Amino acid sequence: RGRSKQPTIIQLQDVQDVSNPLQVYTGNPLLDQEFNHSVSLNYTSFNKSNFKYASYNLNLNATDNKIVNSIDSANRGVQSIIPINMDGAYNISSLATFGFPFKNAKLAGSNISFTSSVSYNRNISRLYKKINIGKTITASQHAGFNFNFNEKFDLSINANIAYNRVSYSVNTYLNDDYLTQTYSTNIIWFLPLHFNLSTEME
């Protein structure tokens, strides 16, 4: 797929915006429109005999003439911001999910699933006359357990761990990497007369 994005009136107007005296924004009437190229590949498989399923996804996006900010020093303590067109921005992401039912007949309708994902994002801008390339890498792993007891009681347990790394070619003091962990539990009790009692912890 492909799509274009026009510059806004504010981005095109060659008029200074001094509403923030420390950051003076000026439009650029020479801006070209952005054009985004997008490719997506998807595959899904479901086995009706054993209820196993798998899903794969791959996305690629690239932007020509991306409108980004060029930041420079106007005078002491004041930044000058002007929108410009730059090439070199793109991102790639991939996701895979697998699900398996439990073989125990008492746990009919229960399953376990795993989801792995990874993404890479490359952004670009101009900072004090230097090309500033920002790179973000994210990788995560999710595991989910869903238990159904006689269609009267549902228990869901989920765990997710993700690694993030951010780096910049110019303002390197913003470089960082960190790990996040999330755990949650959801319980639903199906009562008579179509009432449900549920609770969630995270």
Side-chain angles (χ1 to χ4, degrees):
R1 294 187 296 272
R3 67 179 185 275
S4 61
K5 181 181 178 182
Q6 305 290 340
T8 66
I9 296 298
I10 294 176
Q11 290 174 329
L12 290 171
Q13 283 183 330
D14 190 13
V15 177
Q16 287 189 343
D17 178 359
V18 292
S19 56
N20 183 349
L22 298 180
Q23 290 184 327
V24 179
Y25 185 92
T26 307
N28 181 1
L30 300 178
L31 283 177
D32 291 327
Q33 65 179 2
E34 294 183 356
F35 193 87
N36 178 262
H37 309 269
S38 177
V39 177
S40 179
L41 302 175
N42 300 280
Y43 173 80
T44 302
S45 173
F46 178 73
N47 191 319
K48 295 181 180 179
S49 62
N50 55 23
F51 295 98
K52 292 182 179 180
Y53 66 89
S55 177
Y56 308 90
N57 173 265
L58 175 65
N59 291 292
L60 299 94
N61 292 278
T63 304
D64 293 333
N65 294 324
K66 184 170 184 179
I67 300 174
V68 301
N69 286 331
S70 174
I71 301 175
D72 208 343
S73 297
N75 50 58
R76 188 173 183 180
V78 178
Q79 287 183 332
S80 172
I81 303 175
I82 300 175
I84 60 174
N85 294 109
M86 295 189 76
D87 293 327
Y90 62 88
N91 67 76
I92 304 171
S93 62
S94 179
L95 183 144
T97 301
F98 305 91
F100 311 90
F102 287 98
K103 295 182 178 180
N104 192 326
K106 295 181 179 180
L107 296 175
S110 304
N111 63 76
I112 179 174
S113 63
F114 299 95
T115 299
S116 303
S117 67
V118 62
S119 66
Y120 174 79
N121 184 74
R122 185 184 192 272
N123 219 329
I124 191 166
S125 63
R126 183 175 293 168
L127 189 61
Y128 303 113
K129 297 182 175 61
K130 296 181 180 180
I131 296 177
N132 185 35
I133 298 174
K135 300 177 182 179
T136 303
I137 300 174
T138 302
S140 68
Q141 178 63 54
H142 172 269
F145 303 87
N146 297 285
F147 301 94
N148 181 277
F149 301 94
N150 300 320
E151 298 184 353
K152 294 182 179 180
F153 185 79
D154 276 354
L155 171 63
S156 175
I157 302 173
N158 295 279
N160 189 80
I161 184 169
Y163 171 76
N164 300 269
R165 180 179 177 84
V166 183
S167 63
Y168 300 92
S169 60
V170 176
N171 44 351
T172 55
Y173 61 91
L174 294 176
N175 294 356
D176 195 12
D177 63 311
Y178 55 93
L179 196 68
T180 59
Q181 301 179 63
T182 306
Y183 305 95
S184 64
T185 301
N186 182 270
I187 302 172
I188 303 177
W189 184 19
F190 300 98
L191 301 173
L193 302 177
H194 301 289
F195 282 96
N196 297 333
L197 179 64
S198 64
T199 183
E200 183 175 351
M201 295 171 287
E202 184 171 346

